[in-house]
Amino acid sequence: DKHLATFNWIADDTDGEAMAVVVQEDRKRLEFTCGGCYMLLPAESVNKLYSPNELIQCTSCERILSLDKELRESMGSK
């Protein structure tokens, strides 16, 4: 599976920390950061997290991004 291979590759490269939660820095300005490297994320990357079966990675550290339940609900279920 392509996604599993990507996960394993990132995990090997990041001491097992292949996933990173998206952090909302500023709700009004739609600013988000990667919970792994703390770099700013493009809003379109965060929006893509609602697409089923799509693996979205941080453009900086390449970790696989995810939304926690609270942020997902605050942004409105899509």
Side-chain angles (χ1 to χ4, degrees), residues 9 12 19 28 46 48 52 54 58 68-69 73 75:
W9 173 74
D12 287 343
M19 303 285 293
K28 289 185 179 183
V46 177
K48 286 181 182 179
E54 193 163 350
C58 173
D68 67 13
K69 183 179 179 182
E73 288 174 357
M75 292 175 64

Side-chain angles (χ1 to χ4, degrees), residues 2-7 10 19 48-49 51-58 62-65:
K2 180 177 81 169
H3 293 322
L4 181 59
T6 301
F7 177 89
I10 296 168
M19 303 285 293
K48 286 181 182 179
L49 290 171
S51 300
N53 301 320
E54 193 163 350
L55 194 75
I56 307 303
Q57 294 174 255
C58 173
E62 297 186 337
R63 284 181 174 89
I64 299 166
L65 298 172

Side-chain angles (χ1 to χ4, degrees), residues 18-77:
M19 303 285 293
V21 176
V22 172
V23 178
Q24 186 175 40
E25 298 294 334
D26 188 312
R27 183 179 177 109
K28 289 185 179 183
R29 293 190 298 190
L30 295 175
E31 289 182 354
F32 303 94
T33 57
C34 171
C37 68
Y38 309 104
M39 295 298 290
L40 196 61
L41 295 169
E44 57 268 13
S45 292
V46 177
N47 287 333
K48 286 181 182 179
L49 290 171
Y50 288 100
S51 300
N53 301 320
E54 193 163 350
L55 194 75
I56 307 303
Q57 294 174 255
C58 173
T59 54
S60 182
C61 70
E62 297 186 337
R63 284 181 174 89
I64 299 166
L65 298 172
S66 66
L67 294 174
D68 67 13
K69 183 179 179 182
E70 185 177 313
L71 181 56
R72 183 178 295 272
E73 288 174 357
S74 75
M75 292 175 64
S77 297

